[in-house]
Amino acid sequence: MPPKRKASATSSASQAKKAKTEKETKVKNKVKSKEKTKSIDSDATKSEAPSTADTGALNLSSLLTDAAWKKALDAEFKLPYFKELEKQLAADYSKGEQIFPPKNLIFNAFNKTPFDKVKVVLLGQDPYHDDGQAMGLSFSVPVGIPPPPSLKNIYKELTTDKDIKNFTPPSHGCLEKWSEQGILLLNATLTVKAHQPNSHAKYGWQKFTDAVIKHISENSKERVVFLLWGGFAHKKEKLINKDRHSIIKTAHPSPLSCTKFFGCKCFSKVNEELKKLKRTAVDWSL
């Protein structure tokens, strides 16, 4: 009988040891499984997160909301010069430079005037460079900002043109009503460093806006009137198919050349051309 009891005790000890070993193995496997899962999740997170190189990237095309313009300019956005333009702007933003207009208004002219609604292109050169002025529409400033000298001269010409009825110079300088009627208020350069005129003139914007003018000239289903003020804008005439579209050239309304601008009657001439093209005249009132 004593040997039996010894065997039983030995067996119990062996089973207990085995159970302990199995439990330790399960715990180790569980830990390994958790570590593996954690590693997989970490790798997935790394693959989904943007790389350090991409973090400062600037996707300008995302600021363009009109579907027709987006489709029309998609190829242009992918060209090397435009990618370089984005890099330059991204570097400026990362340095904390103040750039006008605000980023969300860079393509305001396109978003306010859909491609299939364009009937007049009014070309400017550079965005306003003082605080609060630029809003992504050539010659226009937000309500509450005093009209700049060129815009005051534009109002003066509208007031004295006898073929423009009932125009009263407004106290503001916002031209959104024009853009909503199909006037593409396009600057040749779409951004500028604060208080430094023409500071982004060589960034590549003019190549982009030249492509815009060509696209309108070649692909617009309707005929368009191009209103070109001053020598800089006059050079863009070569981009336009004159057999299809109308071009009106005058002096610039800037105080430097306004004496040649006054009396040009460009606004009534735009409406005359629109009527010839069987398109609705512009209501210039604001």
Side-chain angles (χ1 to χ4, degrees), residues 48 50 52 54 61 72 95 154 168 183 192 209 212 242 271:
E48 290 172 6
T52 306
D54 292 334
S61 65
K95 288 185 288 187
I154 289 169
T168 302
I183 301 180
V192 67
T209 52
V212 169
K242 293 181 280 291
N271 279 345

Side-chain angles (χ1 to χ4, degrees), residues 87-146:
K87 286 180 183 178
Q88 288 179 295
L89 277 178
D92 290 344
Y93 285 123
S94 68
K95 288 185 288 187
E97 289 188 3
Q98 190 176 19
I99 295 170
F100 297 140
K103 197 182 294 183
N104 65 308
L105 295 179
I106 290 174
F107 290 119
N108 198 23
F110 301 89
N111 295 331
K112 288 286 184 185
T113 310
F115 175 68
D116 59 355
K117 301 294 183 184
V118 175
K119 61 184 179 185
V120 178
V121 176
L122 176 49
L123 188 66
Q125 185 169 351
D126 204 41
Y128 291 124
H129 56 84
D130 282 337
D131 295 337
Q133 289 183 314
M135 58 182 293
L137 305 176
S138 61
F139 300 99
S140 181
V141 294
V143 172
I145 300 295

Side-chain angles (χ1 to χ4, degrees), residues 216-286:
I216 295 170
S217 177
E218 294 170 5
N219 298 291
S220 176
K221 293 180 180 178
E222 301 281 352
R223 295 185 176 187
V224 174
V225 178
F226 290 83
L227 182 52
L228 309 179
W229 288 338
F232 176 85
H234 293 177
K235 294 175 184 176
K236 306 298 180 180
E237 181 179 9
K238 64 186 179 184
L239 305 173
I240 304 162
N241 182 347
K242 293 181 280 291
D243 294 329
R244 281 202 72 221
H245 307 288
S246 298
I247 299 173
I248 296 172
K249 297 190 296 181
T250 73
H252 196 281
S254 159
L256 298 174
S257 55
C258 62
T259 54
K260 296 178 181 178
F261 176 75
F262 292 140
C264 69
K265 302 188 70 173
C266 59
F267 300 103
S268 57
K269 287 178 181 178
V270 165
N271 279 345
E272 287 173 12
E273 291 301 317
L274 287 172
K275 288 176 183 177
K276 289 178 186 177
L277 301 176
K278 298 182 179 179
R279 305 199 69 176
T280 309
V282 175
D283 175 6
W284 297 104
S285 62
L286 293 165

Side-chain angles (χ1 to χ4, degrees), residues 194-212:
H195 317 301
Q196 293 187 25
N198 291 311
S199 48
H200 291 182
K202 295 182 179 180
Y203 272 31
W205 278 125
Q206 291 182 27
K207 189 170 184 178
F208 176 77
T209 52
D210 280 358
V212 169

